Amino acid sequence: MVVFAILMTLAGGGLGGAAGARLGWEAAPPLPSGAEAQQLTATVFPAMTVWGGGDAALFVRTNDGDGIQYGYADYWVKHTPATRDVDTFTHAVRDRLQAAGWQIRSDVAPDLNPGDEGDEQKKRFTRTFWATRGDLALQFSNFYWPDRAVTESDGAALFHLSRTEPAWAAPAGVLGALLGALIGWVLTAWVSRRTEYSRPATLFAATTSGFALLLLLPILLLTYLHLILGGSKTSQGQPEQPWWVMLLTLGHGLTRTAATLGLAVLVMAAWPRRHRQPANQPQRQPARLAAGSMPVMPVVVLTCVVVLWAAVSASPALTAILVVAGLAAIGLALWQRHRARPARPRRDPAPMPSRRATATPLLALVALLAVLWAGGWGWAAAVLQTVDTTLAGLSRCVPTGPPDESDTHASPLSRTAWVFVSPQATPAQVNLVQDAIHRVTATTSSAVNRDPRSREFQTAYCGDAQLPEAVGRTLPWYFTVNLTSPGAFAALVAEVANVPGVVAVRHAPRGDW
């Protein structure tokens, strides 16, 4: 039992440390804007037209969609004769930044990725370095691709501007680790005490918690080993993602499954049951037995902690599941508290639930976990999405043109845009639109959506409401364009807005982590 409690304490401390470090980032300041941004661009690109900029989310998905990295804003200029001399221009930028108080963190070197050692063009026509000042990190890159067609981009000089880790993130992580360890120890002791008189409950708690630890401890060990070794860095030595990101990428499913198993154990332990008293102890009345159950406030606090963690670091589907399970736990605790009140005079105490009634919720929990485990979390999220879509599909929308620009706060931080094209656009015009999109330095990819029956097409125009197919065929189709940073949207608009066939350019809903 002591070894089990120690393992639970370590797991709680590991999760608490990661959650604390993540919450410590919430007070990070926005990226520079206005006069501060203009001063920076004047230092890096004096007397040049600069594109990009703006703020960025704290964390964003990597371009391949498989990881998470620090959010950043891109600033760039189109090539001039001066910037095409990549080595001379990059050294001049470094000198100007150093004179402005920036600390240069790496030498000017070719911008090579692993495996590019034999790429002579990159060695000759690319340069990069990075620097820091205060709570900002700047990575400068200059790449030139000669002999490109007139309709294609020949590269750019640019820099990524991101935040460094806030000073209070580490103390928040330490505090979270201590609090998480305390919660792990206390909850283990409480579950042990609640299940000590019931052998089935003890076996369920031990088996489920042991399986959760088996899933959780290895990924926690890898996460903290990642922290000790310095985390993920670029070839120039710049940190590119937070140390706890492995819990949300490699260990995403494991972490969520362990959290659900732990919540099931807590609900089971809070469920009222008939206690078997040892033979050498006097028999107590049922009302007094219920009075020894878990009070309401710890259940409420635990539920809030779990739901907050899910809202910060997990998916909306898991958050919804945990909210429902947390409300059920609070309801059970309130029901227990009601039953624990002393019986009224001349009335018999309220009877304790039968063994069948006690076993029913346990069997339901086991069945729910088995279904989730067999079908996968994606299946559970799809069920929730289907229900939501079915309810929204009862309404129909009949748009006459591209959707209006969203006015939500998150839209300016979106890294995805829609370029709407007229259904009457000719193939030659479509090629011009594609060329214009690819000329924007901060675009990473684009995809065409012409099918009005697709879920993506209907969502773009009507959200969750139903779009009649006949109406959809009369509407402009669109390119989905992925951007490296939110500030690139203005550059995309400037490049494609006047191209024949383009009807509108809109922010897509924000999809970053």
Side-chain angles (χ1 to χ4, degrees), residues 173-506:
V174 173
L175 180 61
L178 294 176
L179 183 60
L182 178 62
I183 291 176
W185 180 272
V186 171
L187 288 180
T188 302
W190 175 76
V191 171
S192 175
R193 184 174 182 82
R194 286 285 298 165
T195 59
E196 61 183 339
Y197 296 123
S198 172
R199 182 174 179 81
T202 301
L203 290 177
F204 177 83
T207 303
T208 305
S209 301
F211 184 56
L213 286 174
L214 182 63
L215 296 176
L216 193 57
L217 287 179
I219 193 65
L220 282 175
L221 180 62
L222 289 176
T223 299
Y224 280 88
L225 183 63
H226 186 67
L227 170 63
I228 294 172
L229 295 179
S232 178
K233 297 181 179 180
T234 65
S235 57
Q236 296 285 311
Q238 180 182 3
E240 57 183 354
Q241 59 182 205
W243 59 268
W244 39 262
V245 71
M246 195 176 297
L247 291 172
L248 304 179
T249 52
L250 179 63
H252 195 195
L254 301 178
T255 306
R256 292 192 298 178
T257 302
T260 304
L261 293 174
L263 187 61
V265 171
L266 296 177
V267 173
M268 181 275 303
W271 195 265
R273 62 177 54 84
R274 188 189 303 276
H275 294 270
R276 296 181 180 179
Q277 298 292 324
N280 58 350
Q281 293 186 7
Q283 187 71 23
R284 293 189 291 172
Q285 296 298 323
R288 293 184 177 274
L289 286 171
S293 61
M294 185 181 184
V296 176
M297 284 308 297
V299 177
V300 175
V301 172
L302 173 66
T303 301
C304 292
V305 170
V306 173
V307 171
L308 177 62
W309 171 84
V312 170
S313 59
S315 66
L318 177 63
T319 304
I321 294 173
L322 292 180
V323 166
V324 173
L327 291 176
I330 294 174
L332 290 174
L334 290 172
W335 181 65
Q336 277 191 299
R337 188 172 185 178
H338 175 74
R339 292 179 61 83
R341 294 175 179 174
R344 295 182 179 180
R346 300 181 182 180
R347 291 187 181 182
D348 294 333
M352 295 297 290
S354 63
R355 292 188 177 184
R356 179 178 299 178
T358 302
T360 299
L362 298 181
L363 294 175
L365 282 173
V366 173
L368 175 61
L369 293 173
V371 169
L372 289 176
W373 183 259
W377 287 103
W379 177 85
V383 171
L384 294 176
Q385 181 65 32
T386 301
V387 173
D388 182 63
T389 303
T390 301
L391 295 176
L394 299 177
S395 61
R396 296 163 66 92
C397 78
V398 186
T400 58
D404 294 332
E405 185 68 85
S406 175
D407 58 355
T408 61
H409 175 70
S411 290
L413 297 183
S414 172
R415 298 196 304 157
T416 307
W418 290 321
V419 178
F420 290 90
V421 180
S422 171
Q424 289 76 39
T426 65
Q429 291 175 333
V430 173
N431 290 335
L432 291 177
V433 175
Q434 288 180 308
D435 290 339
I437 291 173
H438 295 157
R439 282 197 300 269
V440 179
T441 299
T443 59
T444 59
S445 63
S446 62
V448 179
N449 196 321
R450 293 175 177 262
D451 186 5
R453 298 169 297 178
S454 69
R455 185 67 217 159
E456 294 78 11
F457 195 99
Q458 297 197 19
T459 300
Y461 277 96
C462 297
D464 290 329
Q466 183 178 359
L467 174 66
E469 182 179 349
V471 175
R473 294 193 180 281
T474 66
L475 297 172
W477 52 274
Y478 62 91
F479 287 94
T480 298
V481 182
N482 296 315
L483 307 172
T484 59
S485 69
F489 181 81
L492 176 66
V493 173
E495 193 70 48
V496 306
N498 296 323
V499 177
V502 173
V503 177
V505 185
R506 298 285 187 265

Side-chain angles (χ1 to χ4, degrees), residues 67-115:
I68 295 172
Q69 61 183 346
Y70 297 123
Y72 60 90
D74 272 340
Y75 294 76
W76 75 92
V77 296
K78 297 179 180 179
H79 269 317
T80 65
T83 60
R84 289 189 179 98
D85 186 352
V86 293
D87 189 70
T88 301
F89 186 82
T90 303
H91 277 86
V93 171
R94 182 200 62 183
D95 295 340
R96 289 194 297 270
L97 286 173
Q98 191 169 24
W102 288 77
Q103 183 175 359
I104 307 303
R105 297 288 186 172
S106 67
D107 295 330
V108 174
D111 191 2
L112 302 178
N113 295 317

